[in-house]
Amino acid sequence: MLATPDRFRGSPGADDTVHAVARRPVGWPPTAAASQKDREAPLDARQLEYFLAIVEHGGFNRAAAALHVAQPSLSQAMANLEADLGVALFHRVGRGVVLSDAALELLEPSRRVLRDLAAVRDTAAALAGLHGGTVEVATMPSPGIEPFTTLVRRFAEAHPAVTVSARAAFTPDEVLTLVRGGACELGLLGSATPVRPSGLDVLHVEDQPFVVVAMSGGEFEDDVMVRPEDLAGQRLVASRPGSLMRSLVDGITADGSGTRIVSVVDHRTSILPLVLSGVGVAILPSSWTRLARRCGAVVAPVEHAARLHVAMVSLPAHLTPGARALLTLTRAYARRGKPEAEEA
């Protein structure tokens, strides 16, 4: 189990905390002259890959299995990396491996180094077009339906050999953290107000109004405007507090009109099936419109000023060719909007 140092704060005895690597190179700890010489030596990119694998897989054994290398070889590679850097990266406390403070500081730079190396390889391949690789995108649930679906479809048509990998995030802050930390190159988020994060580039993509999604054959007609008071007495399916969508629902239920929440879900993918089964109606961003109608639901615009502000965020540099291509495609989408053929 991999843990952060906070779990083990205190004053352990000499035998309580040991280095995660049992075997250290000959001459450890290094002399000052040797340390300086080691720090000037070029780093092995594979060592950084192994270091990140240990962090991401939660320990040496699982990382070795994922990397298809022997665990002693992985341990020796980490011992060599520590010698090169002149700092300890791991401590072992009981049966758990703990990241040192130095390791925590090196996570983001290590990810960027490996991403830059991948960019060099991808750039060489991109001389004749994009021929492979993966673009990591953090996305929130509603933007993850649209515009993400349209963007990925267009991207796949233009670059069929490149994989777009979507990582789930449920708040704008989660998206920003994934992008800043280098886990994802791009982030697609939706917020109540436009985001202006420091250190990241922001591309405004679109503003999504809200709609009522209901089972067909009920009180609502497709594409007919619904006022908040028209929802009096309705049963609502809603997300947990904290989202713009939930704040709209709370405003409607607070007026004493008999409207009530009958189901609260963490996963937005549960909302549409609940609506289609007759549990209640839902208020959702318009990104759900096309999918809901294809499933046979009624979708009606809500008379409300609230909008979900959708944006794509990225680091100012260190983008692979695939990520740059997807960002360029998103800029074109934002300028032109959705063609009529793609409108729900």
Side-chain angles (χ1 to χ4, degrees), residues 1-5 8 16-24 28 46-61 63-64 67 71 73-83 85-107 110:
M1 176 180 179
L2 192 64
T4 60
F8 298 101
D16 294 333
T17 302
V18 297
H19 201 278
V21 180
R23 294 188 299 163
R24 292 171 174 167
W28 185 276
R46 181 167 295 183
Q47 292 174 339
L48 296 180
E49 179 185 357
Y50 287 1
F51 164 59
L52 291 176
I54 294 167
V55 174
E56 291 166 1
H57 290 282
F60 279 67
N61 290 334
L67 293 166
Q71 197 273 341
S73 298
L74 182 62
S75 295
Q76 187 60 50
M78 289 301 94
N80 293 339
L81 178 59
E82 290 179 309
L85 296 174
V87 296
L89 298 176
F90 302 98
H91 302 293
R92 193 180 298 280
V93 179
R95 297 177 61 87
V97 177
V98 183
L99 288 177
S100 70
D101 290 341
L104 292 172
E105 292 294 327
L106 289 170
L107 282 176
S110 297

